[in-house]
Amino acid sequence: MAELKIIRTAAEEGLAEAFQGARASLPGAASVKSLRESAFRTFETKGLPNRRVEEWKYTDLRTLMRDAKPLAPPPDSVARLKAKSAGAFAGAAKARRVVILDGVFAADLSDLAGLEPGLTIGSLGEALSSGDADVVARLSRRSALADDPAFALNTAMMSDGAVIRVADGAAVARPIHLVFVTSATKPVSVFTRCLVSVGKGGSLTIIESHDSGDSVDNQANHAFDIAIADEGRLDHVKVVREGDRALHVASVVTEIGANAHLNAFTFTVGGAVTRNQTAMRLNGSGTHAAIRGATLLKGRQHADNTLIADHAVGHCESRELFKSVLDDESRSVFQGKIIVQPHAQKTDAKMATHALLLSENAEADAKPELEIFADDVVCGHGATTGALDGDLVFYLRSRGIPQTEAEALMIKAFIGEAVEAVENEAVREALMDLARAWLRARA
Amino acid sequence: MPLLKIKNLHVEVGGKKILNGLDLTVEKGQVHAIMGPNGSGKSTLSYVLAGKDGYEITEGEILFDDQNIAGMEADERAAKGLFLAFQYPIEIPGVATMTFLRTAVNAQRKARGEPELSTPEFMKRVREAAAGLGISQEMLRRAVNVGFSGGEKKRNEILQMAMLQPRLAVLDETDSGLDIDALKIVSDGVNALRSPDRAFVVITHYQRLLEYIVPDFVHVLWRGRIVRSGGKELALELEEKGYAQYQDEAA
């Protein structure tokens, strides 16, 4: 019998070397180290996901990742200076800033004074080093994305991140802004993991933004592990503003209890290649969960939003709405799967994705899937792709509104339908400002 | 100098000839009615005046203020003072009527080199114009024409006209789909805008509208050209005899 030889790509070789080089110094005691080893074996067995892997069909990392960039060095004073101005777009939200700079939880750049009662914010790296039992237990739990190569790689390589906990009954009014910055002018890679838990009846708003410079082909692999207890509420707005050559792969695993509320929104305007993947599971009835997003792309940008909404119990409502606006040769991908487990009766799940093509060379791929094993449910999905309506543009122009302005008005209205679901008004306005800036740059 | 002079206009849509040597001269302060059966070219005339894509002028010219507008974009024509009230006003989901009005008014002012209207001044003008047309503040907050009834859509067209203060307004079958009360409101709105500096081209099927918006001239459009012109009494004659009499003339 011939021996099976696995041929690795240069990027896979590079990642293996990076893991070999870093394994001894990555934070965490024996139990965490064994998690890392096991996760890396998962990654090695599967390799970088490619188009033959259904979940990654439209975002072939094996092709898109030519090599593996070196791990980011610890941030220096220049890096710190860059971090100070990052994330200013959300200033009006008056959020508490927590900076993750070059993959490192930067306590000295973060606003950690006067935390509200019941709120704790810490570094994941420190939690791993000190053997925080709760953190280790959470990482040891089998995740819905455990077999995903990008998430497995994150588990193997995660160096730092934020651990945010909201105690039972604590309503944290002031939003937390997690400001991720990659400051390097030469390509680097970062691996972060954030843990967020909202206790029973607690509530929290998180803004998460990602910035990096143009012309640097950085590689970021981020992961969020979110747990919302019964009657808890989390509003989570993510903004991807990476540089024009950046690769951004992010995984979010969310577990939600009963009578809880999740309102998530992902806004993608930057990056060369962006993948936002979410696996959400509803474990208690009476919960309302929404995942929405808007994507504005130009040039040859590629953005992929892939999500799974798993209704493990009945009597829950889930909503997904993704809108993308695509200019030039850009491409958006939406893959959404709704799973309704047996006995998850009275599930109400709706999913929709709409793409607006501003150029003949733009492409939108949409793949909605329903896997329903219960019989008394209301589930639906819809997908549309099209150009701007010529009759509509003419109507606006006949009133004296020039072409570009007419298009801008329609594009704002188009994404506005998704953006308006963002609860925080200042954040909503900040997102529309980013959209307006995008439209101005286009004109 | 006439405000509008159309000379020997030939227009094709998708390779099909619709207008066939149309002549029309409109002076300031006048109201011209254009009547004709379905397919005679009434809507084509309105779209080619407004500058819709796909309406190709193969011969002749349209002079607005003595300037050929054939090469002008729709928004440039609007800024010059041309307005088309649509037969079927378009719905614009997600764009509030107020935002739409303000964007249009200021875009035209900008194109003419005038300063933008201040918010209080704009609000004052909208309130006044809307009140005359029975348009509520609630309607102004709603997305343009979305969920509006037929009559509300037509009133919204007249509101836009009142805000934009054009020098030439083309009303394309503004009476279609209106009951008698709505017709009266819309006509009153139009009549309030009549002035020595402004002209109207009223395109309609029926004489009924012309009882409310009384024209100075009536023209019969038949197979893409004007085959007869007269005073307002011509409309009554058409109502009585129909368009059949032109069948033979044109043949």
Side-chain angles (χ1 to χ4, degrees):
Chain A
M1 200 168 146
E3 200 157 312
L4 197 66
K5 173 137 178 69
I6 297 169
I7 301 169
R8 286 186 187 157
T9 66
E12 286 162 354
E13 293 282 2
L15 288 164
E17 278 169 34
F19 183 63
Q20 290 310 321
R23 66 203 298 183
S25 55
L26 284 165
S31 61
V32 176
K33 284 195 189 307
S34 90
L35 277 176
R36 292 184 187 276
E37 298 291 337
S38 147
F40 197 79
R41 278 195 300 278
T42 301
F43 169 74
E44 260 192 326
T45 311
K46 297 190 177 249
L48 281 168
N50 59 79
R51 65 184 194 282
R52 282 183 297 278
V53 178
E54 190 58 29
E55 293 80 8
W56 289 82
K57 188 174 172 177
Y58 304 100
T59 302
D60 185 331
L61 276 193
R62 190 171 285 179
T63 310
L64 292 166
M65 249 181 102
R66 296 266 166 79
D67 52 10
K69 304 302 179 194
L71 293 172
D76 57 16
S77 57
V78 178
R80 280 163 199 282
L81 207 61
K82 281 188 187 174
K84 282 190 175 146
S85 57
F89 72 94
K94 298 191 165 45
R96 179 187 293 282
R97 281 164 63 90
V98 175
V99 176
I100 314 281
L101 175 57
D102 295 333
V104 177
F105 181 93
D108 58 329
L109 296 173
S110 302
D111 176 5
L112 301 172
L115 293 180
E116 291 87 337
L119 172 66
T120 59
I121 302 174
S123 141
L124 177 86
E126 278 173 23
L128 292 175
S129 298
S130 67
D132 182 314
D134 174 51
V135 167
V136 174
R138 227 162 119 184
L139 292 172
S140 309
R141 212 175 46 192
R142 187 178 160 76
S143 155
L145 287 176
D147 292 328
D148 176 82
F151 185 77
L153 188 61
N154 183 280
T155 304
M157 299 289 289
M158 60 186 175
S159 54
D160 205 347
V163 180
I164 300 174
R165 296 186 182 98
V166 174
D168 289 352
V172 180
R174 186 180 174 198
I176 292 174
H177 185 169
L178 285 166
V179 182
F180 288 80
V181 183
T182 306
S183 69
T185 48
K186 290 203 182 79
V188 295
S189 64
V190 294
F191 296 86
T192 75
R193 173 79 56 102
C194 291
L195 305 185
V196 177
S197 47
V198 177
K200 187 173 186 213
S203 63
L204 179 67
T205 296
I206 289 183
I207 306 161
E208 172 197 351
S209 66
H210 295 265
D211 283 83
S212 58
D214 280 341
S215 322
V216 192
D217 39 355
N218 290 318
Q219 296 171 342
N221 183 324
H222 300 289
F224 265 72
D225 179 330
I226 297 172
I228 307 170
D230 295 353
E231 289 138 48
R233 178 180 175 116
L234 177 68
D235 286 90
H236 183 188
V237 176
K238 173 181 176 178
V239 180
V240 181
R241 303 173 73 211
E242 303 268 20
D244 58 7
R245 291 184 60 187
L247 169 71
H248 175 105
V249 176
S251 309
V252 182
V253 180
T254 308
E255 300 276 344
I256 315 178
N259 302 312
H261 205 107
L262 169 71
N263 187 13
F265 192 88
T266 302
F267 191 76
T268 307
V269 277
V273 176
T274 302
R275 160 94 168 186
N276 302 305
Q277 55 177 1
T278 298
M280 166 177 79
R281 189 161 58 191
L282 307 174
N283 298 313
S285 63
T287 283
H288 182 102
I291 305 177
R292 299 185 181 89
T295 300
L296 299 170
L297 304 179
K298 62 188 177 188
R300 296 178 59 88
Q301 284 181 294
H302 174 116
D304 174 335
N305 285 292
T306 291
L307 54 95
I308 300 169
D310 184 356
H311 288 257
V313 296
H315 300 272
C316 287
E317 202 175 84
S318 69
R319 293 289 180 269
E320 288 87 35
L321 175 64
F322 278 81
K323 298 231 172 180
S324 54
V325 178
L326 307 167
D327 206 352
D328 306 324
E329 292 166 70
S330 62
R331 184 180 183 191
S332 78
V333 176
F334 173 81
Q335 300 183 103
K337 186 189 281 187
I338 297 172
I339 303 170
V340 181
Q341 303 285 1
H343 313 300
Q345 302 294 6
K346 305 287 181 192
T347 288
D348 177 351
K350 283 193 187 68
M351 176 166 67
T353 178
H354 305 290
L356 190 55
L357 305 178
L358 302 178
S359 142
E360 285 183 7
N361 299 315
E363 179 178 332
D365 300 293
K367 194 178 70 184
E369 294 173 275
L370 299 178
E371 285 181 10
I372 301 172
F373 303 103
D375 55 12
D376 185 11
V377 300
V378 181
C379 293
H381 66 76
T384 62
T385 302
L388 284 170
D389 182 336
D391 285 340
L392 235 162
V393 174
F394 172 62
Y395 189 62
L396 293 168
R397 296 192 72 181
S398 78
R399 298 308 182 238
I401 302 171
Q403 178 81 21
T404 336
E405 220 178 313
E407 288 184 6
L409 201 61
M410 288 171 68
I411 292 165
K412 277 183 281 180
F414 177 76
I415 64 161
E417 192 201 345
V419 174
E420 73 184 13
V422 170
E423 186 75 16
N424 185 300
E425 193 185 344
V427 176
R428 211 161 55 223
E429 254 324 292
L431 296 181
M432 287 313 286
D433 280 343
L434 291 176
R436 281 187 273 269
W438 187 88
L439 289 164
R440 271 197 303 279
R442 182 178 174 259
Chain B
M1 180 179 75
L3 184 60
L4 176 72
K5 190 165 178 65
I6 302 176
K7 293 196 284 196
N8 188 35
L9 189 65
H10 293 254
V11 173
E12 284 183 12
V13 184
K16 192 169 175 247
K17 194 151 193 188
I18 310 285
L19 294 187
N20 210 345
L22 184 141
D23 292 290
L24 180 69
T25 301
V26 178
E27 302 281 352
K28 279 181 193 170
Q30 295 178 342
V31 175
H32 289 248
I34 305 223
M35 301 184 72
N38 283 331
S40 58
K42 297 195 301 296
S43 281
T44 297
L45 175 61
S46 71
Y47 284 145
V48 80
L49 282 171
K52 191 172 187 182
D53 286 344
Y55 290 72
E56 198 197 341
I57 299 175
T58 55
E59 211 184 323
E61 56 186 9
I62 305 170
L63 302 176
F64 185 58
D65 268 347
D66 221 21
Q67 193 181 355
N68 192 337
I69 60 170
M72 282 186 193
E73 298 290 353
D75 50 286
E76 296 174 66
R77 299 181 194 200
K80 273 184 71 68
L82 207 148
F83 180 87
L84 169 64
F86 281 55
Q87 181 180 3
Y88 302 109
I90 312 279
E91 298 185 2
I92 317 179
V95 179
T97 304
M98 198 69 106
T99 309
F100 169 65
L101 287 171
R102 185 147 191 204
T103 308
V105 166
N106 283 331
Q108 290 203 12
R109 293 181 71 90
K110 192 175 159 197
R112 291 193 293 260
E114 298 163 13
E116 292 195 351
L117 281 185
S118 69
T119 304
E121 178 60 23
F122 171 79
M123 296 301 287
K124 181 170 158 271
R125 292 193 192 183
V126 174
R127 264 197 301 273
E128 281 171 10
L133 290 160
I135 292 173
S136 65
Q137 291 296 306
E138 191 268 330
M139 241 175 98
L140 293 172
R141 280 192 295 270
R142 272 153 63 189
V144 182
N145 294 327
V146 176
F148 285 23
S149 71
E152 285 173 331
K153 284 180 183 173
K154 295 296 171 81
R155 275 189 277 155
N156 196 17
E157 292 292 289
I158 305 305
L159 173 66
Q160 292 168 40
M161 181 166 76
M163 290 304 295
L164 295 169
Q165 297 275 316
R167 291 183 300 136
L168 176 68
V170 180
L171 311 183
D172 187 5
E173 306 216 12
T174 293
D175 51 334
S176 69
L178 293 187
D179 61 31
I180 201 74
D181 294 328
L183 185 64
K184 202 163 174 331
I185 294 171
V186 165
S187 305
D188 288 347
V190 172
N191 288 329
L193 289 168
R194 286 180 78 155
S195 94
D197 295 323
R198 185 173 291 129
F200 291 86
V201 173
V202 180
I203 295 173
T204 182
H205 245 328
Y206 304 106
Q207 186 268 341
R208 189 179 70 159
L209 176 68
L210 305 180
E211 286 175 14
Y212 297 94
I213 304 172
V214 180
D216 301 302
F217 301 93
V218 173
H219 310 275
V220 178
L221 186 61
W222 178 262
R223 292 193 177 163
R225 48 198 293 256
I226 287 171
V227 293
R228 199 170 158 203
S229 299
K232 61 184 178 204
E233 65 288 347
L234 179 55
L236 291 165
E237 185 193 315
L238 285 168
E239 185 81 353
E240 194 183 321
K241 297 186 180 166
Y243 296 105
Q245 55 176 317
Y246 300 102
Q247 195 90 48
D248 307 326
E249 282 179 35

